[in-house]
Amino acid sequence: MSIFRTKSIEASMASADDSEHQLKKNLSALDLTVFGIGVIIGAGIFTLTGRAAQQYAGPSIALSFVLGAVVCGLAALCYAEFASTVPISGSAYTFSYATLGEIIAWIIGWDLLLELMLGASVVAQGWSQYFVTLLGQLGVTWPSGVAPGSVFDLPAFVLVVVLTLLIAKGIKESMRVNLVLVAVKLFIVLFVIFAGIGFINRDNWTPFIPPSEPGKSTSGLTTPLLQAITGMEPVTFGILGIMSGAAVVFFAYIGFDVVATTAEEAKNPQRDLPRGILGSLAICTVLYVAVTLVLTGMQKYTEIDPDAALASAFTAVGKDGYATLISAGAVAGLTTVVMTLMIGATRVTFAMSRDHLLPEKLGRTSPTTGTPVRLTLIIGGVVALIAAFTPIGKLEEMVNIGTLTAFLLVSLAIPILRKRRPDLKRAFKVPGSPFIPYLSALMCFYLILNLSVETWIRFIVWMALGFLIYFAYSRKHSKLEKGEDQAGPGPQGSPEVMSER
């Protein structure tokens, strides 16, 4: 059978009713919005804002955040239509299985697994650094032998283990903890905004768009792919600096797509998923822009500390005590990011195992918790080990390439599904289709080209491993291969088990 065979929407919906692979519907629109905010607002707002302002755009980094939000918003519209039309766990994996074919679905699932698991590990290490810093500010010394950067990062390991047990207990319990931590994080962000307004010096915003100047040249494997292909010289500040800044800060928005992975657990997915996805993105955009304006108003962009921008800004104006509060907010904020990414990784692999592209037993849910406990423990164990033993470093870009690839393919899938299944009920529709989806795909592709050559090499190696697993195991064990999925009516009301592309 063709590797581009597609799983019908009806078969996807029917698989969610299997008692052994059924998730509990516990999440409201508020839960989903908080879920999205919890993962979007993380390391980006505490560190990325300062680095991007200092190195790329100056005060106009606020415009970079707006541009990044527009690009991300286009992809969010596509996710919102898919999530409300196909409210099944798995996010982009499930969407592409119904439109682009099994092999593309596998690629997306494999990408998402890379993004979410590695992302959770990276953020757990960042959480560990903030945690030890906070302890130091409180007068507590953490043993250097098990500190961040040592052979074994104990704080990161313990964090992931605790969150794994919480996620296994149930999605609603996880959301309750998430709600509290997001509230703390939002308080800190609002505190930074309102406390910092009084220290703004408008002269620091002049010039708002600094004059363009040559950027730092790179060579070899660290060169962005687009630069390596075209021979273009990098530029910072000016209009192109705003564009470069947008490519950097775009990754501060990554996370709204994780909301779609919980589609099957939403009480009213057709109504609540678009609200959760678009609502969380809109709230975070406003907060990001406000923080950048305050930060660049408090300090001249050339003097901003790229590693601890917010805390250093308050230290520069004589408010040393605020640094401890900001560190506490970072600890709370990064906790929610790690938890949300782990939930997303579990739900994607859950969907893949339910389709038998991964071993089916992994995806069985517990009748007590309504969650895939076995799969959760496996995912959590892998993330804990990576976070504890691996110096992530430049592998952070791997998170970005997996995410952008998923965004690109979901955007392309919208007009395909519109053409193939015009009969489907769509509670939310992307306006201006197919122009908006194609524009979203084009912008995502442009950002992918700005990632380094070494990131592309690592990505190709990861995908080669994925293809090996697919052709050695997944293809012959797939439900579609064995004809186990029974679908409902097709586009013209005729029975349809699968469609060949």
Side-chain angles (χ1 to χ4, degrees):
M1 287 186 178
S2 171
I3 59 174
F4 290 102
R5 56 197 175 195
T6 59
K7 182 178 181 180
S8 72
I9 304 298
E10 290 77 15
S12 296
M13 300 290 284
S15 64
D17 295 326
D18 181 358
S19 60
E20 288 190 334
H21 302 86
Q22 191 174 43
L23 299 169
K24 289 185 178 180
K25 297 182 180 295
N26 286 320
L27 304 182
S28 64
L30 176 62
D31 290 324
L32 294 169
T33 303
V34 171
F35 189 71
I37 294 173
V39 70
I40 296 173
I41 298 183
I45 204 165
F46 294 106
T47 59
L48 191 59
T49 49
R51 181 167 67 87
Q54 187 207 51
Q55 299 178 3
Y56 293 97
S60 63
I61 193 62
L63 299 180
S64 298
F65 270 103
V66 172
L67 182 58
V70 170
V71 176
C72 218
L74 294 177
L77 290 172
C78 298
Y79 267 87
E81 176 169 331
F82 255 129
S84 64
T85 307
V86 193
I88 302 297
S89 185
S91 185
Y93 160 76
T94 301
F95 307 156
S96 57
Y97 210 161
T99 53
L100 301 174
E102 184 174 275
I103 187 63
I104 304 298
W106 171 263
I107 293 172
I108 290 290
W110 196 242
D111 283 350
L112 290 175
L113 189 60
L114 171 71
E115 169 202 346
L116 298 170
M117 290 182 61
L118 188 57
S121 302
V122 170
V123 178
Q125 290 190 331
W127 179 93
S128 178
Q129 293 174 336
Y130 272 108
F131 176 72
V132 172
T133 299
L134 177 61
L135 290 180
Q137 292 168 339
L138 297 175
V140 179
T141 302
W142 187 265
S144 59
V146 288
S150 65
V151 177
F152 182 75
D153 190 337
L154 181 60
F157 182 84
V158 172
L159 172 70
V160 175
V161 169
V162 171
L163 292 179
T164 298
L165 296 176
L166 177 62
I167 295 168
K169 182 174 176 58
I171 188 69
K172 194 63 179 179
E173 290 77 9
S174 302
M175 288 300 100
R176 290 193 185 108
V177 174
N178 193 51
L179 180 61
V180 173
L181 294 177
V182 169
V184 172
K185 178 163 52 177
L186 287 178
F187 168 77
I188 296 298
V189 171
L190 292 173
F191 172 81
V192 168
I193 294 170
F194 288 103
I197 286 177
F199 299 102
I200 289 177
N201 180 355
R202 295 185 180 181
D203 292 339
N204 291 333
W205 286 337
T206 304
F208 190 75
I209 302 179
S212 176
E213 60 183 58
K216 181 180 179 181
S217 297
T218 56
S219 59
L221 296 180
T222 60
T223 307
L225 183 64
L226 184 62
Q227 182 181 332
I229 294 174
T230 63
M232 295 171 54
E233 291 298 323
V235 174
T236 58
F237 306 114
I239 300 300
L240 290 180
I242 295 175
M243 300 292 290
S244 299
V248 173
V249 302
F250 173 85
F251 306 121
Y253 289 104
I254 289 175
F256 75 85
D257 57 315
V258 183
V259 175
T261 67
T262 63
E264 205 170 310
E265 294 157 279
K267 294 177 181 177
N268 189 343
Q270 284 78 11
R271 181 196 67 189
D272 293 343
L273 280 167
R275 293 181 180 181
I277 292 172
L278 298 175
S280 58
L281 182 61
I283 291 171
C284 293
T285 299
V286 172
L287 293 176
Y288 275 150
V289 171
V291 167
T292 55
L293 289 174
V294 168
L295 175 64
T296 55
M298 292 178 67
Q299 273 190 301
K300 192 70 176 178
Y301 71 91
T302 55
E303 300 172 358
I304 291 175
D305 181 356
D307 298 320
L310 298 183
S312 297
F314 282 102
T315 299
V317 296
K319 294 295 181 180
D320 296 0
Y322 291 175
T324 301
L325 188 60
I326 292 172
S327 295
V331 168
L334 296 181
T335 300
T336 65
V337 177
V338 176
M339 181 171 66
T340 308
L341 290 173
M342 287 175 62
I343 291 174
T346 302
R347 298 310 183 259
V348 170
T349 47
F350 166 78
M352 296 173 75
S353 66
R354 191 163 60 183
D355 291 328
H356 296 186
L357 297 183
L358 293 175
E360 177 268 339
K361 291 183 179 180
L362 295 179
R364 292 181 182 175
T365 54
S366 165
T368 304
T369 65
T371 61
V373 174
R374 183 182 303 177
L375 192 55
T376 301
L377 295 177
I378 293 173
I379 295 291
V382 173
V383 171
L385 292 174
I386 294 175
F389 290 105
T390 307
I392 301 298
K394 296 180 180 179
L395 290 180
E396 292 178 14
E397 279 197 7
M398 291 291 287
V399 179
N400 304 331
I401 196 168
T403 303
L404 285 166
T405 302
F407 285 6
L408 187 153
L409 292 175
V410 166
S411 299
L412 292 177
I414 285 293
I416 294 175
L417 189 60
R418 288 268 191 106
K419 183 177 180 180
R420 288 185 176 181
R421 296 300 305 271
D423 59 304
L424 287 175
K425 180 182 178 182
R426 291 168 170 83
F428 177 87
K429 290 186 177 182
V430 178
S433 181
F435 174 75
I436 294 298
Y438 288 153
L439 179 62
S440 173
L442 182 63
M443 289 184 168
C444 289
F445 185 64
Y446 171 76
L447 293 179
I448 292 175
L449 291 178
N450 280 276
L451 296 174
S452 67
V453 173
E454 64 181 350
T455 296
W456 275 87
I457 293 174
R458 293 186 180 115
F459 183 66
I460 291 171
V461 171
W462 173 257
M463 292 311 305
L465 177 61
F467 282 124
L468 179 63
I469 295 174
Y470 175 76
F471 285 105
Y473 176 87
S474 304
R475 185 184 182 188
K476 59 185 178 183
H477 286 87
S478 165
K479 275 190 173 184
L480 291 186
E481 174 69 24
K482 297 181 178 181
E484 295 180 19
D485 266 324
Q486 298 301 318
Q492 286 77 40
S494 59
E496 175 187 350
V497 174
M498 69 187 75
S499 58
E500 293 289 345
R501 190 174 180 214

